Each structure stands twice: as structure tokens, then as C-alpha cells.
Amino acid sequence: MSSAGGVGAASATLYAVVSNPTAVGAKPKDADEKAHHLKGGKGFINPWDSFRDFVGWQMGLRMLWRKFSGQVRQPDTTPPTVPVVTPTFREGREGGKLRATWLGHACYYVEFPSGLRVLFDPVFEDCCAPIKIKSLKRFTPVPCEIEDLPTVDLVVISHNHYDHLSYPTIKRIQKAFPQVHFFAPLGNRSWFVNSGVPEANVTELDWWDTRDVKLQSRFQDSPKEVDTVSVSKSETSTQSDITALVGALPCQHVSARGPFDKCKTLWASWSVESGGAKVYFAGDTGYRAVPGNTPEGEDGYGPEYAHLPVCPAFKQIGEHRGPFDLGLIPIGAYEPRWVMSPMHANPEDSANIFIETKCKKALGMHWGTWVLTEEDVLEPPRKLKEALKQKGIAEEGVFGVTDIGESKEFESGA
């Protein structure tokens, strides 16, 4: 396993210079209407018929009834469950094929052919909550520590839920890699700044916004000097040939870190393009809302549900920003469907997202780490295979899963 790249003596530290794109990316005609913005800057919504919100107390009462009536299912996490292997990473800025390593739940470490290194939705803590809760303890361990990563140039965050954004993890990343630059959806910059991240090292974007990124180098003699590096176009430095285009894209979800800040910050999926490779990170998303009277165990894909509207964002993403060499798409945390369907994709939803976003290959995520919902912990990849087969995608390796800590390589470009 490679050693951390942020603390080496007399090493060349690459840091991100973020600027407006040289060309405006393609987007739907109605994108500039900002239908997902509440008036007066009060927050954000999912502006589609495919989403259904819940009144908190109503959902709470129904969940209590399920618990007292014995309907709640508790998944078995007795080992063995998902295999965990020790990951290996490329040394330094070694190029090669596009390479993705699953580090558990929604966290992927992606090595681009250009040498760019991106970490998506990292959470390395044992519990994905603001306090220690036994039921939210990992049932699979992290395959490595942050300090084992060779380097991290960009961290991309989909939204602020605790299983996707962790304060201790962000502090550890910043300590190990002081030059790192964070990308997050609108409204999240203040959280990073209040957490001690320099404001210049945070970029927040709205849906369909993009930014150019160039990595520039400066030789550092000690970790202390690394801490003085800032992200500024005015700095005199040697520009490397590592560039990227980072874009925020829509998805169907919500945000909150407490009881009083629901949907005050935006959620997003993301695209990152560098070195001829293009990656779509779906973050955390639903696809359509299954009715509240859906019987337990039904996935909402029978003929009687064919009329349900689906989120139009994924077809728009495929049309305007696709195709993608690799999609990182959630496949878990979906039962019971009447609760989770507006916000979390089940495997058939995931297959549709894969097709509509025009991903050539994909890997599953958002499963196998914490018990967040009621499906069996090993069910998502099994259901994914079934869903893909139903859609005529039976070829091995088109859209699959990996062991935690395992890496997969992918062809990129035309």
C-alpha cells in the first residue's frame, strides 16, 4: 500500500486552481429557471412529480406502527457479509487506465489517467451519526485509513447527510493533504469554512454549473510550509498538465444535519472529466416515488405502477453531459419502498439511471457498510443482476460491484 503523499519531505505539492470554464456546458433549456430554488434563498426542493415529501409526524407514526406490529425487518450482519480487502494504489502521478477503488458505502477513490486523484463522499468513521449509535455502527470495516492514500487532489461531496459528509473525516483529510480542494453543492461552503477549511479551498456549485481545475506545483520542504499553500490564480508557480472539468448535476434527494435545517443546502450528482476519462458520480438519489399504500416487499415495478412519473434529470444528464466512461451509482438502502423510494434508488431504479445517463460501465455503491434500511445486506447486488438481465444487459462487468477495497480499471475516451 502506498504511503500518504501529503507529508513527504521536499516533495512537489500539486494544488488546485479553480476557474470558470472556458466553454459553458450543455444544459436543458429550463435549467436557468432554477426551479429547485425556493424563493428568498430559503432552501431547495426537488421540482419534479417523481418526488414525494413526507410530513415528519405522519411518517413517524407509521414507522412506530410497523415496529409495534412486528413488520420491521432487521438485516442479519453476522459475518461473512461483504468481503473487505486491503487496497493498493498507484504511486505518485502514475497514469494508465481509469481506476476506481471502493472504500465502502458511497466512497470511491478514483485515479484518472491524467494523474488526478479524486475522493468521493468520504466517511471513514465507525458510526455515520453525530453521536455514537450502536445500530449505525459499521458491519464492515474501512479497508484502509485516509493516511494510507497516496494523495488526494479533490474531494467531491454529494450532500450533507452524515453517511456522506463527516466532520472528523474532513479534518483528517485536510491534515494529511493540506492542498486538497473541496467541491460541494450550494449552501455548504460555510460548513467547510466553519470546520477550519480555508475558504479558497472550497467551491460550491449549483446544478449544471461547471469549473475548470488545473493542478499547479510548488516544491515544499516541510509539512509546515505545505500549510501555507493557497488556491489563487495570482500565485506564481509551474503549471502542470493535469487539468479537469468538474460539474454539479441534479439528483433527487434531500439534505439535513439536524432537525431544523432540512433542505437548506443543495444536494447534487457530479461529473469529473480529466485525461480523456469521464466519470459520473450519482451521489445519493431516488428515481421515482412509490405510493404509500404499496404492499410490503413490492418494488413498485409491476404493471399497476407503470404510470408513476420518473425523475427527468437522468435523461437530461445523459443527453447534455453524457456519455460517461464510468458511473458510480447507488444500489442500496431502499426498503421499505413507500418510505425510501423518493430518496433512494433500488437496483431497478439504478439500472434505469445507468441507462439514462449513458454510462458505458458502472459500479454500485451505497450498500454493504451500515444498516440504514431493511433489505438484506447482500440483496442489492443480487437484485441488480436481475434488473440488468430484465433490461437485456447480461454481460459481465458492465454494471457490477466490487469487494470493499477492491479496484477496477476501465477504458476511457471514444
Side-chain angles (χ1 to χ4, degrees):
M1 186 183 299
S2 300
S3 60
V7 295
S11 62
T13 300
L14 296 181
Y15 62 102
V17 173
V18 179
S19 60
N20 288 324
T22 54
V24 177
K27 57 186 177 181
K29 292 181 179 178
D30 61 355
D32 292 333
E33 296 177 7
K34 307 292 185 185
H36 58 293
H37 286 230
L38 290 175
K39 292 182 179 180
K42 294 182 179 180
F44 305 91
I45 60 171
N46 293 285
W48 311 293
D49 293 337
S50 57
F51 181 77
R52 181 188 70 245
D53 209 349
F54 285 100
V55 177
W57 66 268
Q58 290 177 340
M59 186 172 71
L61 286 176
R62 187 163 176 183
M63 292 299 286
L64 280 174
W65 169 249
R66 291 184 76 254
K67 181 175 182 179
F68 290 132
S69 62
Q71 298 178 56
V72 174
R73 289 169 289 171
Q74 184 61 41
D76 183 9
T77 60
T78 305
T81 54
V82 185
V84 180
V85 300
T86 301
T88 58
F89 307 105
R90 291 173 178 157
E91 295 291 340
R93 298 291 170 174
E94 181 185 349
K97 292 182 179 180
L98 176 67
R99 192 169 186 262
T101 305
W102 186 37
L103 300 181
H105 199 53
C107 181
Y108 268 93
Y109 182 76
V110 178
E111 298 164 287
F112 285 81
S114 63
L116 182 75
R117 307 296 188 241
V118 182
L119 193 58
F120 292 92
D121 277 6
V123 177
F124 281 71
E125 271 54 64
D126 192 45
C127 182
C128 60
I131 58 174
K132 296 290 185 182
I133 301 175
K134 185 179 180 180
S135 62
L136 291 179
K137 186 179 184 299
R138 283 178 183 266
F139 65 87
T140 50
V142 292
C144 68
E145 298 298 340
I146 291 167
E147 296 75 16
D148 296 321
L149 301 175
T151 191
V152 180
D153 300 309
L154 308 179
V155 172
V156 176
I157 301 295
S158 64
H159 66 297
N160 70 357
H161 283 160
Y162 284 89
D163 57 324
H164 296 258
L165 177 63
S166 161
Y167 173 81
T169 288
I170 296 303
K171 296 300 291 182
R172 287 173 61 190
I173 292 171
Q174 187 189 15
K175 181 178 180 181
F177 310 102
Q179 83 291 347
V180 70
H181 196 90
F182 297 91
F183 279 89
L186 280 184
N188 286 287
R189 175 184 281 131
S190 60
W191 183 91
F192 284 92
V193 173
N194 292 338
S195 299
V197 177
E199 188 171 2
N201 288 37
V202 183
T203 296
E204 61 175 22
L205 296 181
D206 200 354
W207 292 350
W208 301 106
D209 286 348
T210 57
R211 291 293 183 271
D212 284 334
V213 177
K214 296 180 180 179
L215 298 191
Q216 297 185 334
S217 61
R218 174 181 295 174
F219 282 91
Q220 304 297 331
D221 294 323
S222 69
K224 184 176 182 180
E225 291 185 18
V226 173
D227 290 336
T228 67
V229 175
S230 63
V231 179
S232 171
K233 288 192 71 176
S234 62
E235 296 280 2
T236 301
S237 58
T238 302
Q239 181 178 315
S240 77
D241 58 0
I242 298 178
T243 63
L245 182 66
V246 179
L249 296 166
C251 65
Q252 183 171 292
H253 203 57
V254 292
S255 66
R257 288 184 76 79
F260 306 113
D261 65 341
K262 182 180 178 182
C263 297
K264 297 297 184 183
T265 63
L266 188 58
W267 47 96
S269 61
W270 292 84
S271 64
V272 179
E273 185 175 0
S274 183
K278 198 172 183 180
V279 173
Y280 174 64
F281 177 70
D284 200 352
T285 187
Y287 181 71
R288 62 179 187 163
V290 172
N293 60 358
T294 301
E296 294 284 332
E298 285 198 16
D299 63 4
Y301 269 98
E304 64 272 35
Y305 303 105
H307 66 285
L308 295 178
V310 303
C311 181
F314 303 107
K315 282 188 177 179
Q316 293 174 337
I317 290 168
E319 177 184 351
H320 295 286
R321 299 292 171 89
F324 298 92
D325 299 301
L326 174 64
L328 305 173
I329 299 175
I331 64 170
Y334 49 80
E335 289 287 354
R337 295 299 289 148
W338 64 268
V339 177
M340 305 311 303
S341 61
M343 299 164 290
H344 287 170
N346 74 353
E348 190 154 354
D349 295 335
S350 307
N352 287 327
I353 292 169
F354 167 72
I355 293 168
E356 292 178 7
T357 52
K358 298 183 180 179
C359 293
K360 300 173 186 176
K361 300 289 182 67
L363 291 173
M365 63 179 189
H366 206 259
W367 74 286
T369 306
W370 292 288
V371 173
L372 302 178
T373 47
E374 296 181 19
E375 72 273 7
D376 292 340
V377 296
L378 294 177
E379 180 181 282
R382 185 173 70 250
K383 291 283 190 180
L384 178 64
K385 276 189 175 183
E386 295 172 3
L388 292 170
K389 187 175 181 180
Q390 290 173 1
K391 297 179 187 303
I393 306 172
E395 182 184 345
E396 195 73 25
V398 173
F399 184 0
V401 299
T402 72
D403 295 343
I404 296 175
E406 184 182 3
S407 301
K408 294 283 187 180
E409 292 188 344
F410 301 88
E411 300 290 345
S412 56

